Amino acid sequence: MINREWHLLSRPVGWPKPEDFALVETPVPTPGEGQVLVRNKYLSVDPYMRGRMSAAKSYVAPFELGKVMQGGAVGEVVASNAEGIAVGDHVLHFLGWREYAALDAKHAVKVDPEAAPLSTYLGVLGMTGLTAYAGLLRTASFNEGDAVFVSGAAGAVGSQVGQIAKLKGASRVVGSAGSDEKVKLLVEEYGFDAAFNYRNGPVGEQLRAAAPDGIDVYFDNVGGDHLEAAIGSLNQGGRIAVCGMISVYNNTEPAPGPRNLARLIQTRGRIEGFLVGDHYDLQPQFVQEVGPWVASGALKYRETVVEGIENNLEAFLGVLRGDNTGKMIVKL
């Protein structure tokens, strides 16, 4: 049996190029003692993976050259040498970018395909959802009545941030996105109070028009001009949670910082970065609260599904371009 997997051949400079990667055929691995063999059904591609393609020191080790990359995946166990996980079980794990994965059972989390579609465990009920939940409620210290601005709001994380804020009693939720179609989605389906297309004019001007009374919370997925605009609209005691800065991931030179940081003195504002890995203690609370919202339809989600392992790289590049609406998923 043949296993196909994506290897990183060279570290991208600027935008990743197809020649930086290779789809390699390898034998299907054999699980060892205490391991399971999983046939992956859905793979996740996420913006943070761009950072792992660089050799720069970061919060997670870079991908190794000439070896298979990693990412979130959910699949079916087809062989097991471990107690507690049987053939036919479905598990969530982090050996994506491949068709088959052999891994220690302790690194696999059983999921129920009857309770929710398997793909949701990579998105709305998985790491993506927990990122939104922890960043908004803990890092940004959201309070009922806050006015919230979310950049990259039609993406997997941003769309959940805005909806959770509304469900928790935000006074106003504003989102930015990269197309008029996505702006319409934010307002008409996700219930944002206002949204704008950042390609249609200066972000600062559009944000002031959408939130004339200012904002109390900014959830940052973009950085750059969005972060500067948010600082400019921040109310006294405002909080900024930095989840990602996709606008600078492919830069070959350091990006200039916001020019208005001095305004934080006036507003007593706070900027704090966060990683979802520091907040896994919230997982039970997250599932208990968000699961019923998803089941009832109170919290809506979208997925952009790309078919086939051979298209995994193109799906990842699509995330960097902003092609996706909601979570980008590769279906095998």
Side-chain angles (χ1 to χ4, degrees):
M1 295 175 64
I2 297 298
N3 177 39
R4 290 182 293 172
E5 55 187 36
W6 281 96
H7 289 203
L8 182 66
L9 300 184
S10 58
R11 303 206 179 277
V13 177
W15 276 85
K17 302 179 292 297
E19 52 266 33
D20 294 323
F21 309 85
L23 182 59
V24 177
E25 291 188 350
T26 64
V28 172
T30 300
E33 188 65 30
Q35 290 192 324
V36 294
L37 177 66
V38 180
R39 178 169 60 85
N40 288 330
K41 291 191 172 184
Y42 294 94
L43 307 177
S44 177
V45 287
D46 303 280
Y48 80 86
M49 294 173 175
R50 176 62 183 87
R52 296 197 67 186
M53 295 172 188
S54 167
K57 186 176 181 180
S58 185
Y59 60 88
V60 63
F63 293 134
E64 295 184 58
L65 292 179
K67 295 187 178 181
V68 61
M69 295 182 290
Q70 301 167 356
V74 65
E76 181 180 359
V77 175
V78 294
S80 176
N81 287 327
E83 293 184 6
I85 298 182
V87 171
D89 284 344
H90 291 83
V91 297
L92 172 68
H93 62 90
F94 287 93
L95 293 185
W97 289 81
R98 69 198 83 187
E99 291 177 307
Y100 289 87
L103 63 143
D104 292 343
K106 64 183 179 181
H107 297 313
V109 177
K110 286 202 288 187
V111 296
D112 184 0
E114 299 298 323
L118 281 176
S119 59
T120 62
Y121 294 105
L122 295 175
V124 66
L125 294 177
M127 185 176 70
T128 299
L130 182 59
T131 300
Y133 189 85
L136 177 68
L137 302 183
R138 177 175 281 174
T139 305
S141 303
F142 172 84
N143 296 308
E144 184 178 354
D146 280 343
V148 178
F149 171 44
V150 187
S151 59
V157 173
S159 59
Q160 282 194 249
V161 172
Q163 291 184 82
I164 292 171
K166 289 292 291 183
L167 288 164
K168 287 283 192 177
S171 61
R172 189 167 183 79
V173 174
V174 175
S176 72
S179 73
D180 293 341
E181 181 181 10
K182 290 180 178 180
V183 166
K184 183 178 180 180
L185 173 71
L186 292 176
V187 175
E188 296 185 358
E189 184 167 333
Y190 293 154
F192 283 57
D193 296 290
F196 60 86
N197 182 345
Y198 65 82
R199 304 181 195 276
N200 287 348
V203 175
E205 293 180 9
Q206 295 196 77
L207 177 57
R208 284 191 293 274
D213 295 325
I215 60 172
D216 304 296
V217 168
Y218 170 49
F219 193 103
D220 190 15
N221 290 306
V222 174
D225 56 355
H226 281 74
L227 178 56
E228 185 169 297
I231 293 171
S233 286
L234 206 63
N235 291 331
Q236 185 166 319
R239 291 86 65 203
I240 295 174
V242 181
C243 176
M245 291 192 174
I246 198 169
S247 69
V248 303
Y249 286 168
N250 294 306
N251 288 6
T252 56
E253 298 292 335
R259 297 167 295 180
N260 57 349
L261 282 173
R263 195 167 186 278
L264 295 176
I265 303 169
Q266 172 191 344
T267 61
R268 290 75 148 179
R270 168 169 62 85
I271 300 179
E272 182 178 347
F274 76 98
L275 297 173
V276 66
D278 296 332
H279 302 282
Y280 282 134
D281 62 295
L282 288 176
Q283 180 75 24
Q285 175 183 324
F286 161 71
V287 172
Q288 182 179 22
E289 187 164 24
V290 175
W293 287 341
V294 174
S296 70
L299 194 153
K300 300 175 176 60
Y301 69 94
R302 289 282 191 97
E303 294 175 340
T304 300
V305 179
V306 173
E307 300 267 356
I309 185 74
E310 64 276 9
N311 294 314
N312 212 85
L313 175 60
E314 181 56 29
F316 168 69
L317 296 176
V319 170
L320 297 183
R321 292 191 298 262
D323 294 349
N324 57 302
T325 298
K327 184 76 181 76
M328 180 72 88
I329 299 285
V330 178
K331 181 180 180 181
L332 304 189

